[in-house]
């Protein structure tokens, strides 16, 4: 096993002093606090970034207001073109960006290349296409006239203003791209606040955005902890927050946004997603599906499944076959192209997963496979299969955001639906069956923002995505994002 060599430009980027990205260039923080960026595969500090201060927040917001003024006046075709150029630049710098991402997040290099760069470029191009298609409508007013006068009306879609994009650590580039693409294509400016654990790649993307022709101030990046996000939301100069992260932080963000004078808020939050396997499903198909649904990127995907419901008659063979497959996974360095399963992204997360194992044992859950943190400097966690005893066991109800598949048996399809919906979350779910008619009849009964059939986790820019119940408010992708990034202005005329 051997790691790929880091490109010289990656070594140079990591070795740099990282300032804040404000007004199209790097600007020194007004404070002196820094945050270490740690490679979770090695435990080594690979860079330091600034922890932005209140003064930095003011400077970024001022720049974004100027950026908004200019960018909102750009012709839609120009906005689209800049996003298309940025997509090209991401691809041109594919390996460099992927390597930076893998070094900061521990994501295996193939996932960094395929998702953080290739998919991000596809999303950018999809959004670029919307630039020239965001319109209001003409309306015929409904009331009778008083004295023969006539009325007509139309709506305008106007950019909401300065957006704050708050990003988690699991897909630090792709999720930032979703937010900046939605903002920029509608004519908003945006300040990205990356996760304190993975702040590096988006700084490089911001440089590329300027190279693509984006005016200074249309995209700023402020690194730092949660207080930077809070300060941005509460700043009177920002108009909207697009937040992706955990439910507790999302609720705090929503409160702060409303308290700041009804700042618009889109909340994309956590989940405890179910995958239900109907009786007709073949064991091998089920096992492939569970690996896709639960173990990609070490389970650190908001839409990943964590609760697996299998018919009582099939649960043992499926868990046994899954254990054999997990036992053969190539666990190792994320910079080794043969690695299939890498570390989790940070130490606290690894420790949180360790606590879940302690709780599973305390609740007498059967650990079929894994169930331990792996020794060494890296943040590795064994891929794990747990058989829960009771519906209210912690592992069946709390989001772990890790490589832990918890199983529970069902006897009837009615019970399966009841189990799948027995959660306060509603981000995603999947049904696995050869009987598509049955699946389509069951889909309306499932309480989730996305329901997949015979697949799990794939996000497409054309298909709206977001949570129901406690998993969030608002939708990204498709045309659904337009409502969240524009204000609808009605114009009525008498003649
Ligand atoms: P988190 O909630 O801890 O942090 C997310 C971001 O919020 C970080 O940038 C953090 O610095 C910032 N933040 C923290 N406190 C804040 C505050 N008071 N005000 C404003 N910003 C604040 O989440 P995380 O651990 O980075 O990410 C994991 C979580 O994200 C999981 O729950 C996962 O399900 C969720 N997630 C959801 C989606 C989705 O699309 N629904 C996608 C990816 C991840």
């Amino acid at each position: 096993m051997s790691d790929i060599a880091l490109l010289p430009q990656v070594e140079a980027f990591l070795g740099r002093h990282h300032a804040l990205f404000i007004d199209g260039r790097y600007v020194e923080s007004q404070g002196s606090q820094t945050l270490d960026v740690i490679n979770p595969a090695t435990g080594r500090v690979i860079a330091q970034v600034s922890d932005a201060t209140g003064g930095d927040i003011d400077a970024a917001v001022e720049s974004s207001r100027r950026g908004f003024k200019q960018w909102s006046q750009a012709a839609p075709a120009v906005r689209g073109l800049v996003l298309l150029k940025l997509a090209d630049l991401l691809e041109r710098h594919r390996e460099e960006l992927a390597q930076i991402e893998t070094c900061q997040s521990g994501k295996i290099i193939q996932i960094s290349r395929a998702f953080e760069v290739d998919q991000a470029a596809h999303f950018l191009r999809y959004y670029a296409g919307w630039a020239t298609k965001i319109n209001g409508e003409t309306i015929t007013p409904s009331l009778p006239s008083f004295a023969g006068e006539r009325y007509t009306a139309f709506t305008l879609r106007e950019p909401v203003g300065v957006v704050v994009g708050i990003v988690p650590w699991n897909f630090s580039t792709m999720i930032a791209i979703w937010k900046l693409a939605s903002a920029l294509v509608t004519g908003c400016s945006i300040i990205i606040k990356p996760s304190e654990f993975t702040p590096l790649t988006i700084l490089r993307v911001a440089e590329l955005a300027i190279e693509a022709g984006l005016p200074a101030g249309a995209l700023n990046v402020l690194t730092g902890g949660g207080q930077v996000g809070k300060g941005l939301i509460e700043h009177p100069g920002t108009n909207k927050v697009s937040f992706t992260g955990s439910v507790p932080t999302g609720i705090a963000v929503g409160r702060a946004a409303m308290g700041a004078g009804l700042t618009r808020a889109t909340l994309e939050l956590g989940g405890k997603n179910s995958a239900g396997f109907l009786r007709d499903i073949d064991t091998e198909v089920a096992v492939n599906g569970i690996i896709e649904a639960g173990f990609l990127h070490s389970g650190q995907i908001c839409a990943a499944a964590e609760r697996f419901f299998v018919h009582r008659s099939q649960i043992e063979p499926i868990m046994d076959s899954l254990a054999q497959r997990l036992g053969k996974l190539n666990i190792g360095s994320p910079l080794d192209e043969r690695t299939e399963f890498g570390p989790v992204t940070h130490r606290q997360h690894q420790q949180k997963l360790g606590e879940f194992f302690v709780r599973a044992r305390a609740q007498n859950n059967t650990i079929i496979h894994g169930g331990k943190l792996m020794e060494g400097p890296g943040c590795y966690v064994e891929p794990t299969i747990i058989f829960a005893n009771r519906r209210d066991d912690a592992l069946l109800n709390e989001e772990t955001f890790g490589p832990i598949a918890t199983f529970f048996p069902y006897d009837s399809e009615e019970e399966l639906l009841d189990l799948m919906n027995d959660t306060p979350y509603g981000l995603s779910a999947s049904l696995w069956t050869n009987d598509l008619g049955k699946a389509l009849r069951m889909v309306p009964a499932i309480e989730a923002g996305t329901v997949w059939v015979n697949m799990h986790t794939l996000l497409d820019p054309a298909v709206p995505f977001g949570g129901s119940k406690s998993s969030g408010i608002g939708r990204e992708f498709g045309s659904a994002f337009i409502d969240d990034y524009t204000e609808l202005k009605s114009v009525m005329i008498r003649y």
Side-chain angles (χ1 to χ4, degrees):
M1 302 280 262
S2 62
D3 284 0
I4 53 169
L6 289 186
L7 296 173
Q9 56 270 44
V10 173
E11 301 269 21
F13 178 82
L14 295 178
R16 263 197 222 169
H17 167 74
H18 297 281
L20 304 167
F21 195 88
I22 302 177
D23 227 31
R25 63 200 171 87
Y26 285 108
V27 172
E28 286 306 325
S29 169
Q30 296 176 24
S32 55
Q33 295 291 324
T34 55
L35 299 167
D36 288 343
V37 184
I38 298 171
N39 180 340
T42 61
R44 280 192 218 115
V45 176
I46 54 167
Q48 289 184 322
V49 293
S50 303
D51 192 7
T53 64
D56 298 325
I57 292 173
D58 288 340
V61 174
E62 262 174 49
S63 156
S64 294
R65 293 236 63 92
R66 289 192 300 274
F68 172 59
K69 224 171 176 179
Q70 187 182 348
W71 182 244
S72 58
Q73 297 307 311
V78 172
R79 286 186 214 147
L81 208 57
V82 170
L83 292 192
L84 291 174
K85 281 191 189 153
L86 179 57
D88 291 346
L89 284 171
L90 290 192
E91 284 176 344
R92 200 172 308 154
H93 294 268
R94 178 181 195 245
E95 187 60 16
E96 177 192 350
L97 294 167
Q99 290 189 5
I100 296 171
E101 182 55 39
T102 287
C103 289
Q104 71 171 354
S105 68
K107 188 172 286 130
I108 62 174
I109 188 71
Q110 287 91 341
I111 296 186
S112 292
R113 290 172 184 149
F115 288 86
E116 297 282 37
V117 186
D118 298 348
Q119 288 282 45
H122 285 307
F123 273 86
L124 270 173
R125 293 196 179 104
Y126 175 82
Y127 278 99
W130 272 111
T132 49
K133 295 159 198 76
I134 298 173
N135 293 307
E137 56 180 347
T138 54
I139 298 165
T140 306
S142 65
L143 295 177
S145 67
F146 291 100
E149 77 281 16
R150 307 278 290 272
Y151 298 92
T152 190
F154 61 92
T155 57
L156 295 171
R157 288 247 167 224
E158 297 180 335
V160 78
V162 176
V163 176
V164 180
I166 301 180
V167 178
W169 45 260
N170 65 324
F171 279 95
S172 75
T173 315
M174 190 167 66
I175 294 177
I177 293 279
W178 298 346
K179 296 189 185 310
L180 69 86
S182 312
L184 296 176
V185 80
T186 47
C188 301
S189 60
I190 183 161
I191 305 170
I192 296 283
K193 206 301 279 176
S195 165
E196 49 275 46
F197 297 105
T198 53
L200 296 174
T201 323
I202 190 63
L203 288 168
R204 184 71 186 102
V205 171
E207 295 174 23
L208 296 178
I210 297 296
E211 196 179 324
L214 196 68
L219 166 64
N220 291 317
V221 179
L222 277 195
T223 53
Q227 82 289 346
V228 178
K230 186 168 184 289
L232 285 166
I233 297 164
E234 290 175 347
H235 198 289
T238 59
N239 306 97
K240 172 187 167 61
V241 54
S242 173
F243 172 83
T244 300
S246 62
V247 172
T249 312
I251 292 171
V253 162
R255 281 209 182 100
M258 293 307 106
L262 299 186
T263 292
R264 303 314 189 229
T266 315
L267 306 172
E268 296 290 350
L269 310 181
K272 185 74 183 175
N273 308 309
S274 305
F277 292 82
L278 300 195
R279 265 186 103 163
D280 64 88
I281 206 82
D282 176 74
T283 301
E284 199 187 334
V285 173
V287 168
N288 287 337
I290 294 162
I291 291 174
E292 170 193 335
F295 292 93
L296 193 68
H297 188 25
S298 301
Q300 302 168 113
I301 301 181
C302 57
E306 294 196 3
R307 1 165 48 218
F308 293 86
F309 300 111
V310 178
H311 190 266
R312 193 176 297 279
S313 63
Q314 291 164 303
I315 198 157
E316 274 189 30
I318 287 181
M319 288 193 306
D320 288 349
S321 171
L322 176 65
Q324 283 181 25
R325 285 280 297 280
L326 295 181
K328 290 185 193 141
L329 275 183
N330 221 340
I331 304 178
S333 164
L335 281 172
D336 185 324
E337 288 176 329
R338 284 160 297 184
T339 295
E340 295 166 303
F341 187 89
V344 297
T345 292
H346 60 88
R347 184 70 67 202
Q348 294 93 309
H349 188 46
Q350 185 203 33
Q351 283 163 355
K352 186 183 115 185
L353 293 170
E355 283 158 26
F356 272 113
F357 295 145
V358 171
R359 291 170 72 191
R361 290 189 172 90
Q363 293 189 317
N364 288 323
N365 294 159
T366 311
I367 298 183
I368 309 280
H369 184 85
K372 289 195 297 295
L373 308 185
M374 294 169 73
E375 303 226 331
C379 302
Y380 287 83
V381 176
E382 290 179 348
T384 297
I385 307 172
I386 286 178
F387 182 73
N389 293 326
R390 296 158 41 116
R391 283 173 88 124
D392 58 359
D393 281 349
L395 271 286
L396 207 54
N397 292 286
E398 294 177 30
E399 184 187 36
T400 68
F401 210 51
I404 308 176
T406 301
F407 284 76
F408 198 75
Y410 73 88
D411 292 299
S412 69
E413 280 157 18
E414 216 172 30
E415 191 189 357
L416 170 63
L417 286 173
D418 185 45
L419 282 162
M420 289 178 79
N421 288 334
D422 187 14
T423 165
Y425 297 105
L427 189 57
S428 73
S430 61
L431 271 180
W432 298 76
T433 175
N434 296 307
D435 186 342
L436 269 186
K438 190 180 271 184
L440 289 177
R441 281 191 293 277
M442 290 173 82
V443 163
I446 297 175
E447 298 164 358
T450 295
V451 180
W452 286 290
V453 178
N454 296 333
M455 59 185 285
H456 200 113
T457 314
L458 186 73
L459 301 183
D460 187 294
V463 183
F465 177 71
S468 61
K469 301 179 10 184
S470 297
S471 288
I473 296 176
R475 293 289 181 272
E476 299 189 280
F477 319 155
S479 60
F481 79 96
I482 297 169
D483 282 345
D484 285 328
Y485 286 81
T486 58
E487 288 285 1
L488 201 56
K489 180 179 280 173
S490 297
V491 182
M492 204 166 167
I493 301 168
R494 180 165 60 199
Y495 62 98

